[in-house]
Amino acid sequence: MRIRSCSDHTRGIHGDEKKKVTNKQKIADGPSFEDFVTGELSGENSWDDYTGKLKREAGDRQRLRLPPWLKRKIPTGKSFHKLKDDLRGLNLTTVCEEARCPNIGECWGTNKHGVATATIMLMGAQCTRGCRFCSVKTSSAPPPLDPNEPRNTAQAITAWGLSYVVLTSVDRDDIADAGADHIATTVEELKKSNPKILVECLTPDFGGKLERIERVVRSNLDVFAHNIECVEDLTWLVRDPRAKYRQSLSVLELAKQCNPQ
């Protein structure tokens, strides 16, 4: 089993140097937005050739238009609508929809390899935590778990003919085991339906409890992943207070202890 840490972790500045460098200097010396723009712009040859306005001046009342590199096509096609109908029919949730991913049309409408993919989000569409960066709805008392979800998930993914699937979930601090058994059961149902499928679980932190982590690790999954989200100094600012940086690291460590292979 592979352990994957999904993190935006960057190397920091230490000692006296840290005191001398301001945030403005770090931003100025770092990558610009232009560095993240790839490919050709619609109707333009390069970033420098773009003639649209990117910032309103004082007194401007006209609404700014999005530049072409921020626009996505409206999702269409048989594959997109079939996948959406399958999900609704089986009462399944995806992080693609709940997190408002702008690339949903590319994944659901088949990619360049002719394969449609979706990341299933288990345990409902309401999270008991409220991280600032996330668009998923927050609730202190979400609806109870759907006992049919593990079987329905396996049924849908098997029908799509996928060879690799990612399962993620909301946090469910309102449940005794934080949903560990529900996630593990879903993996087991998937493996029962298709023993050859590779399953990755992008899990919550389960409150750092070993027995919960072990239940998921020993469900016969192939990749155990957990998000650290950001550097430790910014954790308090962007993550829910119950999501702690060191706790996330311990989750990955405990998962590795449960299955060193």
Side-chain angles (χ1 to χ4, degrees):
M1 182 193 73
R2 292 181 58 195
I3 305 294
R4 178 179 296 175
S5 168
C6 304
S7 169
D8 294 328
H9 207 299
T10 55
R11 189 174 181 179
I13 299 173
H14 303 283
D16 295 336
E17 186 182 357
K18 185 175 182 180
K19 299 177 183 178
K20 297 177 183 177
V21 181
T22 66
N23 287 333
K24 286 186 177 180
Q25 286 176 308
K26 292 179 187 177
I27 294 173
D29 295 338
S32 67
F33 184 66
E34 182 178 355
D35 295 325
F36 293 94
V37 178
T38 58
E40 293 186 0
L41 305 180
S42 302
E44 307 287 350
N45 293 324
S46 70
W47 166 279
D48 294 329
D49 293 330
Y50 180 65
T51 56
K53 294 182 68 173
L54 297 175
K55 182 179 180 181
R56 283 201 298 188
E57 305 295 337
D60 282 354
R61 295 184 178 275
Q62 188 174 1
R63 181 181 176 184
L64 289 177
R65 305 287 296 180
L66 283 176
W69 56 86
L70 291 181
K71 293 181 180 179
R72 311 302 292 173
K73 293 182 179 179
I74 296 175
T76 57
K78 292 181 179 179
S79 177
F80 175 86
H81 292 294
K82 181 183 184 305
L83 202 153
K84 191 178 183 72
D85 290 342
D86 287 348
L87 291 166
R88 295 295 80 78
L90 293 171
N91 195 31
L92 299 178
T93 305
T94 66
V95 71
C96 319
E97 295 172 295
E98 299 305 320
R100 301 178 184 177
C101 179
N103 301 316
I104 189 171
E106 294 180 14
C107 297
W108 288 26
T110 70
N111 55 30
K112 62 182 180 181
H113 302 293
V115 178
T117 61
T119 299
I120 300 294
M121 189 168 75
L122 302 174
M123 302 196 292
Q126 297 179 26
C127 186
T128 53
R129 299 188 185 180
C131 299
R132 292 189 178 187
F133 60 84
C134 187
S135 295
V136 175
K137 299 180 184 68
T138 301
S139 173
S140 59
L145 298 181
D146 177 3
N148 296 318
E149 186 176 52
R151 186 174 64 254
N152 287 343
T153 300
Q155 179 183 333
I157 291 172
T158 301
W160 297 336
L162 302 180
S163 58
Y164 192 104
V165 64
V166 179
L167 302 177
T168 188
S169 74
V170 293
D171 278 280
R172 291 298 299 261
D173 299 293
D174 59 314
I175 300 172
D177 69 347
D181 186 68
H182 190 85
I183 295 173
T185 301
T186 304
V187 176
E188 290 163 353
E189 288 287 344
L190 274 165
K191 290 291 187 175
K192 191 186 303 180
S193 298
N194 181 5
K196 294 183 179 180
I197 194 170
L198 298 177
V199 181
E200 175 179 340
C201 285
L202 177 55
T203 74
D205 60 26
F206 300 118
K209 303 292 185 181
L210 174 60
E211 64 275 11
R212 301 172 183 177
I213 298 167
E214 186 174 17
R215 173 69 180 100
V216 175
V217 169
R218 299 197 183 283
S219 65
N220 199 24
L221 83 173
D222 298 282
V223 178
F224 182 99
H226 175 66
N227 278 342
I228 296 175
E229 307 295 3
C230 61
V231 295
E232 187 170 11
D233 289 348
L234 296 178
T235 297
W236 68 273
L237 183 63
V238 299
R239 299 181 75 186
D240 185 280
R242 289 164 289 184
K244 299 175 175 59
Y245 183 84
R246 295 290 166 179
Q247 180 169 273
S248 287
L249 287 179
S250 72
V251 167
L252 295 167
E253 183 180 7
L254 291 171
K256 190 65 175 179
Q257 289 176 8
C258 293
N259 188 345
Q261 296 180 350

